[in-house]
Amino acid sequence: MAHVPAAERRPQLVQAAIDLMAREGVDAGSTRAIAAELGVAQATVHYTFGTKRDLYRAVIEQLTAELVELVRRAAPDGPHFEESLRLMAGALWQGLRQQPGRYLLFIELTTYALRNPELHEVLRAHQSDLEQTAAKMISDVAERAERPLAAPPVTLARFFLAGFDGLALRHLVIDDDASATGLEHLVAATLALAGEGRAATGAVFSTPAPRA
């Protein structure tokens, strides 16, 4: 097999680990199994990451980057604050429904990291990245809509993300209409906290109609 530089091999191994563990769980993510997933020698995994904790750290960082990018891609460019927030929430919900294994994997890794102080900072960075990204998007949308916010953007972001985490976990346990309805209420509550003045619900995760 041709030599592959470490800078190229590392993301390949991280992706192989994510694919494997999202499918079969964290316990299945041995270095041997990850190596087999990519079709390389087990020593390659040890050489690239050193320890399993280093590998888990890289996996958490990659999952964080993917989620942040999903939020950024969902950011609409329209001037309507309520519509924009609903579209962003809908994009996150679709991501959960399309790749539930990745969300479940992050929950598993979160539990593991909370019991390993060496990984606490990775979790803190993950939470901070999501909150700051969401806060920036909320701030940008409010600015385009030329409307003041009744609460700081980061407060709105934390409120929404905390609620979404709970709904995501419920969806993984019980996939029914109540979780989707809960998302509609979460968006309405976030809008009310932002000073929207009402808490009406709407179709949060439906596909928006094409604009003329």
Side-chain angles (χ1 to χ4, degrees), residues 32 76-77 84 97 164 207:
R32 182 186 298 276
D77 55 9
S84 297
R97 292 180 62 86
F164 187 89
T207 303

Side-chain angles (χ1 to χ4, degrees), residues 2 5 18 20 28 39 43 47 65-66 69 94 96 101 103 113 115 133 137 151 167 170 177 183-184 199:
I18 291 174
L20 172 66
Y47 174 78
E66 290 179 1
E69 182 58 25
Q94 287 296 340
L96 168 63
Y103 279 81
R115 294 185 179 276
T133 298
M137 291 171 59
L167 288 171
R170 187 188 187 281
D177 293 339
L183 182 62
E184 295 174 0

Side-chain angles (χ1 to χ4, degrees), residues 44-191:
T44 301
V45 182
H46 290 293
Y47 174 78
T48 305
F49 292 102
T51 68
K52 184 174 285 190
R53 284 192 181 91
D54 293 334
L55 173 61
Y56 285 176
R57 178 188 298 271
V59 167
I60 292 173
E61 290 172 346
Q62 178 59 31
L63 290 173
T64 299
E66 290 179 1
L67 191 54
V68 167
E69 182 58 25
L70 175 63
V71 174
R72 285 176 176 161
R73 287 201 311 268
D77 55 9
H80 304 294
F81 184 79
E82 179 176 341
E83 177 190 5
S84 297
L85 189 60
R86 292 186 185 282
L87 287 174
M88 288 186 285
L92 281 175
W93 192 251
Q94 287 296 340
L96 168 63
R97 292 180 62 86
Q98 291 169 3
Q99 295 184 312
R102 270 171 152 71
Y103 279 81
L104 181 55
L105 171 58
F106 192 83
I107 292 171
E108 291 181 277
L109 287 172
T110 297
T111 302
Y112 176 86
L114 286 173
R115 294 185 179 276
N116 290 269
E118 303 93 330
L119 294 175
H120 280 186
E121 190 55 39
V122 182
L123 287 181
R124 291 174 63 87
H126 161 81
Q127 193 66 32
S128 178
D129 284 349
L130 288 182
E131 290 176 359
Q132 294 303 318
T133 298
K136 179 65 164 58
M137 291 171 59
I138 291 171
S139 177
D140 289 346
V141 170
E143 184 176 347
R144 287 198 301 271
E146 297 183 346
R147 67 179 304 280
L149 295 174
V154 71
T155 298
L156 298 173
R158 288 169 180 163
F159 176 80
F160 174 80
L161 290 172
F164 187 89
D165 284 345
L167 288 171
L169 181 57
R170 187 188 187 281
H171 172 73
L172 292 173
V173 176
I174 308 174
D175 182 5
D176 61 11
D177 293 339
S179 296
T181 301
L183 182 62
E184 295 174 0
H185 289 301
L186 174 62
V187 172
T190 305
L191 288 168

